[in-house]
Amino acid sequence: ALVHGVLLRGMPLISDAMDYHLLALDVVSGKQWSSAFYMPPGIPLLLASLYGLLGPHLWVARGIIIILQLLIIPLAGLLTFELLGQNKQAGRWAAWIAALYPPAVMLAGQPYSQHLTTVCLLATAYFWLKGLREERLGPFFPAGAALGIGILARPSMLSLCPVLGLVALYTAWSR
């Protein structure tokens, strides 16, 4: 937030970030999408929903991406904590690395798909692991929701479906 609120405050949206912004404006105005068909709908739909509520301002786009980037920090810590046998120190280190990772910090104000995808990927892995370990159905619902949203942001996340299925089968078989 400091980097984009102070240091890079005047930086315009660039590359895919601008395309996502323009697609979101098309959705809000009811126009047909003006970009190539291969742009995944996740970020434009997220931006359009927020533009509809708060107005089509760049601070809205930057704000949601900064919020997503901030969500990555605890999710990275929680997933590491779970993966490494509830190791608090490892979880803290992972959270600090996620917080200070230079490319993430520098791109936090640009609405690219990797921010939403990273949140969804970490949430999917965390809740899936939690559901398997606790042998409860509840955590699989947020895992599935995160996976579905992630697929809208980056369709390549579909490749996780067979992997998660195999992990679930292996876990059930080994028990």
Side-chain angles (χ1 to χ4, degrees), residues 97-115:
I97 290 168
L100 300 175
Y101 183 58
V105 171
M106 297 306 288
L107 290 175
Q110 296 285 328
Y112 288 114
S113 63
Q114 68 247 31
H115 308 291

Side-chain angles (χ1 to χ4, degrees), residues 124-125 127-137 139-140 143 147 160-175:
T124 300
F127 287 110
W128 193 266
L129 178 64
K130 200 153 183 59
L132 290 175
R133 286 202 173 150
E134 295 176 0
E135 297 181 1
R136 291 185 315 114
L137 196 56
F140 289 105
L147 181 61
L160 286 177
C161 293
V163 173
L164 294 173
L166 289 172
V167 168
L169 285 173
Y170 173 78
T171 303
W173 180 74
S174 66
R175 290 185 179 156

Side-chain angles (χ1 to χ4, degrees), residues 13-175:
L13 296 181
I14 56 171
S15 187
D16 287 356
M18 179 56 87
D19 291 338
Y20 288 136
H21 169 71
L22 294 174
L23 283 170
L25 292 176
D26 286 350
V27 171
V28 169
S29 69
K31 285 196 289 187
Q32 209 168 21
W33 285 32
S34 60
S35 184
F37 68 91
Y38 56 83
M39 296 295 283
I43 291 295
L45 292 176
L46 174 63
L47 292 176
S49 64
L50 294 171
Y51 289 169
L53 290 172
L54 304 170
H57 309 290
L58 286 183
W59 66 264
V60 174
R62 294 185 196 282
I64 189 59
I65 297 304
I66 289 169
I67 290 168
L68 288 171
Q69 196 64 36
L70 290 172
L71 284 173
I72 291 170
I73 298 165
L75 284 169
L78 283 170
L79 181 59
T80 304
F81 175 77
E82 285 294 326
L83 282 172
L84 297 179
Q86 299 189 342
N87 183 328
K88 287 182 182 178
Q89 185 176 6
R92 277 193 289 270
W93 275 106
W96 275 108
I97 290 168
L100 300 175
Y101 183 58
V105 171
M106 297 306 288
L107 290 175
Q110 296 285 328
Y112 288 114
S113 63
Q114 68 247 31
H115 308 291
L116 179 57
T117 305
T118 303
V119 168
C120 291
L121 184 61
L122 290 170
T124 300
Y126 173 72
F127 287 110
W128 193 266
L129 178 64
K130 200 153 183 59
L132 290 175
R133 286 202 173 150
E134 295 176 0
E135 297 181 1
R136 291 185 315 114
L137 196 56
F140 289 105
F141 291 109
L147 181 61
I149 293 167
I151 289 168
L152 287 175
R154 286 230 175 136
S156 61
M157 277 190 64
L158 267 169
S159 63
L160 286 177
C161 293
V163 173
L164 294 173
L166 289 172
V167 168
L169 285 173
Y170 173 78
T171 303
W173 180 74
S174 66
R175 290 185 179 156

